[in-house]
Amino acid sequence: MMRQNKLFNNTRTSLALWYAGVMGLILSLLGMGVYKAISHAHWVALDNELESVAGTLHDSLELKLKQPGKIEPIIGKLLPNLCLVGTSCITDRFNSQRHGAYKGANAIRPTAPHILSAVERGNYYARLYDTSGRLIAIAGDYPEGLPQSLNTESWQTLSNRTNNIYHQISLSLHTQTREDWGYFQVGRSIADFEDYLGRVKLVLLLGLPTSLILVGFASWWLAGLAMQPIYRSYQQIEQFTADAAHELRTPLAATQATLESALLVDLDRQETKDILTTIERENKRLIQLVGDLLLLARMDRKAIPLRRQLFCLNDLVSDLVEELEPLAIANQITLTNEFRVKKSLNVSGDCDQLYRLVYNLIVNAIQHTPSDGRVTVILERDASDALIKVKDTGIGIAPEHQKKIFDRFYRVQSDRSRNTGGSGLGLAIAKSIARAHSFKLSVRSELGQGSTFIFQLPLAINSKVNF
Ligand code: ADP
C-alpha cells in the first residue's frame, strides 16, 4: 500500500536512517562506556592484586633484612628464583626463560611450596635495589629487556623491547632496625589483561555494525508502522478531496448545461424564469454543500467554539417537528413527536448545533421512508441521560453499512443523482457535533423494516433531580 507513494517512501527511508543514526550514536557511546568501565575495573583489580602481593612480600622481607643493601640467604625462601646481579644466573635465565626451566648456577632456590606462590603463578617479578639505586637482585618471572634503572615512583607502567607492557609498584625497604635498606619493586606483565581488553574491543567493534544493521531493519519496519496512520489519513484526505470535487462538479455542470442551452435560443419570459429557477436550485445545492464542507473543516480544526447553554429538549423536538412538517407532508409521511417524559428535559449544549443534528436525522428519516410511512421523534430518558430517538418505517440500513454511513460522502446507494439530492455529509456533520459535545449517536436498523437513530445527551443537574 505504502509502496505506491514516493513521498511516503522517502520520508520512511529518511526516518529510518535518522533513527538508525541516532541509535548508532547511542550504541557507540554505550559501547565506549562499557569498554571504559571494564578497562577501569581491570586496572583497579590489577592494582589491588599487585598492592597486596607487594605489601605481603615487603613486610616479610623487612622482618629478615639485617644490613642495608645486603641479601640474607633466607630471602631465597621468600622470593622464588632469586638471583643476584653480577652472577651468571641472570644471563642464564634470560636464555632459558622461553624454555621454562631455570638452571642458574648462583640462584638461591626456594623450597617448595613457596609461601608467595602468586609470584610464581602470575607472571610476577620482583627487583631489589640498594639505597643508591643499584639493582641487587631479581626474582620471579623476570621480563627480558625491561629498563633496570631505579624509578622510585609508586606506580609505573613500562614496556620492554618487544613492546610487552608491565605494571609495577615501588616500595622502600628497611632493615629489622628501621635503617634504610633500599627499594623493592614488584611487577607483572599485563599481556593477559591487554589480550582480554583486545577481545572485548573486538566484540564491541563487530557487535556495533551487526546491531546497526538490525537497528536499520527495525527502524525501517517501525517507521513504516508509525507512518501507517498518517498514510491512512492522507488517503482519507485524498478521497475527501476527490469526493468534494465530484459533488461540486454536479451542480456546476448542471448550471453550465442550462446556461449553454439558454444561450442558443431566444427565450420568452416564462422560459427565462424556468432557467433561472433551475440555476437557483443548483446554486442552493452548491451553497449548501460548501457550507457543509466549511462546517466540517471548522469542526475538525475546533475553530467553532461550543456555545453551551441550558435549553429544553421538549421545545427543540416540537420546533423541529413543526418546521419539518411541510417536508413530511410533501413526501406523504406522517411526522409526529412522542414525549415519554412527564416533565421537560433540560440539557447543556450548543443549541444551534444540536438543532442541526436532530434536523439532519429527521430529514434523513423522511427522505428514506417511502410514501405513507411514519417518522416518529421520541423523547425519553433514563437515569442520567435524555434520549432522542428518530424512528422511521423506511427502507432500513443493512448491517454492513451501519458504521460507514457516518463517514463523509458515504451513501448506501452510490448513485449521487438520486432524488434525495443528499451529498452524504448529513450524518458526518451530526456525528461531528455529537463528538464535539461528547454525546453519543448510534443507529439501530433492519433492512426493509426501518431505522432508529438514537441520540443520547446527559441531563442537566436539575432535570436529574426531577427523575
Ligand atoms: P445524505 O445526504 O445522502 O442523506 P447522510 O450522511 O445524511 O447523507 O446519510 C448517509 C447515508 O445513510 C444516506 O445516503 C443513506 O443511504 C443512509 N441513511 C441515512 N439515514 C437513513 C435512514 N433513516 N434510513 C435509511 N438510510 C439512511
Side-chain angles (χ1 to χ4, degrees), residues 324-356:
L324 290 170
E325 192 122 46
L327 181 72
I329 291 169
N331 285 272
Q332 294 164 18
I333 305 283
T334 314
L335 174 64
T336 50
N337 56 23
E338 194 179 312
F339 293 146
R340 297 180 184 168
V341 282
K342 290 182 209 115
K343 293 186 177 161
S344 51
L345 300 182
N346 292 327
V347 293
S348 155
D350 189 315
C351 187
D352 292 343
Q353 286 192 14
L354 296 178
Y355 192 92
R356 173 153 199 179

Coordinates of all heavy atoms in Angstrom, one line a residue, residues 324-356:
L324 N -40.4 20.8 10.1 CA -40.3 19.8 9.0 C -41.6 19.1 8.6 O -41.6 18.3 7.7 CB -39.2 18.7 9.5 CG -37.8 19.2 9.5 CD1 -36.9 18.2 10.2 CD2 -37.3 19.5 8.1
E325 N -42.6 19.5 9.2 CA -44.0 19.0 8.8 C -44.2 19.2 7.3 O -44.6 18.2 6.7 CB -45.0 19.7 9.7 CG -46.4 19.0 9.5 CD -46.9 18.6 10.9 OE1 -46.8 19.4 11.8 OE2 -47.3 17.4 11.0
P326 N -44.0 20.4 6.8 CA -44.3 20.6 5.3 C -43.5 19.6 4.5 O -44.0 19.0 3.5 CB -43.8 22.0 5.1 CG -43.9 22.7 6.4 CD -43.6 21.6 7.4
L327 N -42.2 19.3 4.8 CA -41.4 18.4 4.1 C -42.0 17.0 4.1 O -42.1 16.3 3.1 CB -40.0 18.4 4.6 CG -39.0 17.5 3.9 CD1 -38.7 18.0 2.5 CD2 -37.7 17.3 4.6
A328 N -42.4 16.6 5.4 CA -43.0 15.3 5.6 C -44.3 15.2 4.7 O -44.5 14.2 4.0 CB -43.3 15.1 7.0
I329 N -45.1 16.2 4.8 CA -46.4 16.2 4.0 C -46.1 16.1 2.5 O -46.7 15.3 1.8 CB -47.2 17.5 4.3 CG1 -47.7 17.4 5.8 CG2 -48.4 17.6 3.4 CD1 -48.3 18.7 6.3
A330 N -45.1 16.8 2.1 CA -44.7 16.8 0.6 C -44.3 15.4 0.2 O -44.5 15.0 -0.9 CB -43.6 17.8 0.4
N331 N -43.7 14.6 1.2 CA -43.3 13.3 0.9 C -44.3 12.2 1.3 O -44.0 11.0 1.4 CB -42.0 13.0 1.6 CG -40.8 13.6 0.9 OD1 -40.2 13.1 0.0 ND2 -40.5 14.9 1.3
Q332 N -45.5 12.7 1.7 CA -46.6 11.8 2.2 C -46.2 10.9 3.4 O -46.3 9.7 3.4 CB -47.1 11.0 1.0 CG -47.8 11.9 0.0 CD -48.0 11.2 -1.3 OE1 -48.0 9.9 -1.4 NE2 -48.2 11.9 -2.4
I333 N -45.6 11.6 4.3 CA -45.1 10.9 5.5 C -45.8 11.5 6.7 O -46.0 12.7 6.8 CB -43.6 11.1 5.7 CG1 -42.7 10.7 4.5 CG2 -43.0 10.4 7.0 CD1 -42.6 9.2 4.2
T334 N -46.1 10.6 7.7 CA -46.7 11.2 8.9 C -45.6 11.4 9.9 O -44.9 10.5 10.3 CB -47.7 10.1 9.5 OG1 -48.5 9.7 8.4 CG2 -48.5 10.8 10.6
L335 N -45.4 12.7 10.2 CA -44.3 13.0 11.2 C -44.9 13.4 12.5 O -45.8 14.4 12.5 CB -43.5 14.2 10.6 CG -42.4 14.8 11.5 CD1 -41.3 13.8 11.8 CD2 -41.8 16.0 10.9
T336 N -44.6 12.7 13.6 CA -45.1 13.1 14.9 C -44.0 13.1 15.9 O -43.0 12.5 15.7 CB -46.2 12.0 15.3 OG1 -45.6 10.7 15.2 CG2 -47.5 12.1 14.6
N337 N -44.3 13.7 17.0 CA -43.4 13.6 18.2 C -44.1 12.8 19.3 O -45.3 12.8 19.4 CB -42.9 14.9 18.6 CG -44.0 15.9 19.0 OD1 -45.1 15.5 19.3 ND2 -43.7 17.2 18.9
E338 N -43.3 12.2 20.2 CA -43.8 11.4 21.3 C -43.0 11.7 22.5 O -41.8 11.3 22.5 CB -43.7 9.9 20.8 CG -44.5 9.0 21.7 CD -44.4 7.5 21.1 OE1 -44.5 7.3 19.9 OE2 -44.1 6.7 22.0
F339 N -43.6 12.4 23.5 CA -42.8 12.7 24.7 C -43.1 11.6 25.7 O -44.2 11.5 26.2 CB -43.2 14.0 25.2 CG -42.8 15.2 24.3 CD1 -43.5 16.3 24.2 CD2 -41.6 15.1 23.6 CE1 -43.1 17.3 23.3 CE2 -41.2 16.1 22.7 CZ -42.0 17.2 22.6
R340 N -42.1 10.8 26.0 CA -42.3 9.7 27.1 C -41.8 10.2 28.4 O -41.2 9.4 29.2 CB -41.6 8.5 26.6 CG -42.2 7.9 25.4 CD -41.5 6.6 25.0 NE -42.0 6.1 23.7 CZ -41.4 5.1 23.0 NH1 -40.2 4.6 23.5 NH2 -41.8 4.7 21.9
V341 N -41.9 11.5 28.6 CA -41.4 12.0 29.9 C -42.6 12.9 30.5 O -43.3 13.5 29.7 CB -40.2 12.9 29.7 CG1 -38.9 12.0 29.6 CG2 -40.3 13.8 28.6
K342 N -42.6 13.0 31.8 CA -43.6 13.8 32.5 C -43.3 15.2 32.5 O -44.1 16.1 32.3 CB -43.8 13.3 33.9 CG -44.4 11.9 34.0 CD -44.7 11.5 35.4 CE -44.6 9.9 35.5 NZ -43.5 9.5 36.3
K343 N -42.0 15.5 32.7 CA -41.6 16.9 32.8 C -40.6 17.2 31.6 O -40.1 16.3 31.0 CB -40.8 17.1 34.1 CG -41.8 17.0 35.3 CD -41.1 17.3 36.6 CE -42.2 17.2 37.7 NZ -41.6 17.2 39.0
S344 N -40.4 18.5 31.5 CA -39.5 18.9 30.4 C -38.0 18.5 30.8 O -37.6 18.6 31.9 CB -39.6 20.3 30.0 OG -39.5 21.1 31.2
L345 N -37.2 18.2 29.8 CA -35.8 17.8 30.0 C -34.9 18.9 29.5 O -35.0 19.3 28.4 CB -35.5 16.5 29.2 CG -36.3 15.3 29.5 CD1 -35.9 14.1 28.7 CD2 -36.2 14.9 31.0
N346 N -34.0 19.2 30.4 CA -33.0 20.3 30.1 C -31.6 19.7 29.9 O -31.2 18.8 30.7 CB -32.9 21.3 31.2 CG -34.2 22.1 31.3 OD1 -34.9 22.3 30.3 ND2 -34.6 22.5 32.5
V347 N -31.0 20.1 28.9 CA -29.6 19.7 28.7 C -28.7 20.9 28.5 O -29.2 22.0 28.1 CB -29.4 18.7 27.5 CG1 -30.1 17.4 27.7 CG2 -29.9 19.4 26.2
S348 N -27.4 20.7 28.6 CA -26.5 21.8 28.3 C -25.7 21.5 27.1 O -25.1 20.5 26.9 CB -25.5 22.0 29.5 OG -24.4 22.6 29.1
G349 N -25.8 22.5 26.1 CA -25.0 22.2 24.9 C -25.2 23.4 23.9 O -25.9 24.4 24.3
D350 N -24.7 23.3 22.8 CA -24.8 24.4 21.8 C -26.1 24.1 21.1 O -26.3 23.2 20.2 CB -23.6 24.3 20.8 CG -23.6 25.5 19.9 OD1 -24.7 25.8 19.3 OD2 -22.5 26.1 19.7
C351 N -27.1 25.0 21.4 CA -28.5 24.7 20.9 C -28.6 24.7 19.4 O -29.2 23.8 18.8 CB -29.4 25.9 21.5 SG -31.1 25.6 21.1
D352 N -27.9 25.6 18.7 CA -27.9 25.6 17.2 C -27.4 24.3 16.6 O -28.0 23.8 15.7 CB -27.1 26.8 16.7 CG -27.8 28.1 17.1 OD1 -29.0 28.1 17.4 OD2 -27.1 29.2 17.0
Q353 N -26.3 23.9 17.2 CA -25.6 22.7 16.6 C -26.5 21.5 16.9 O -26.6 20.6 16.0 CB -24.2 22.5 17.2 CG -23.2 23.5 16.7 CD -21.8 23.1 17.1 OE1 -21.5 22.0 17.5 NE2 -20.9 24.1 16.9
L354 N -27.0 21.4 18.1 CA -27.9 20.2 18.4 C -29.2 20.2 17.6 O -29.6 19.1 17.2 CB -28.1 20.1 19.9 CG -26.9 20.0 20.8 CD1 -27.2 20.0 22.3 CD2 -26.2 18.7 20.4
Y355 N -29.7 21.4 17.4 CA -30.8 21.5 16.5 C -30.5 21.0 15.1 O -31.3 20.2 14.5 CB -31.2 23.0 16.4 CG -32.5 23.3 15.8 CD1 -33.7 23.5 16.6 CD2 -32.7 23.5 14.4 CE1 -34.9 23.7 16.0 CE2 -33.9 23.7 13.9 CZ -35.0 23.9 14.7 OH -36.3 24.1 14.1
R356 N -29.4 21.4 14.6 CA -29.0 20.9 13.3 C -28.8 19.4 13.2 O -29.1 18.8 12.3 CB -27.6 21.6 13.0 CG -27.1 21.1 11.7 CD -26.2 22.1 11.0 NE -26.1 21.7 9.6 CZ -25.4 22.4 8.8 NH1 -24.8 23.5 9.1 NH2 -25.3 21.9 7.5

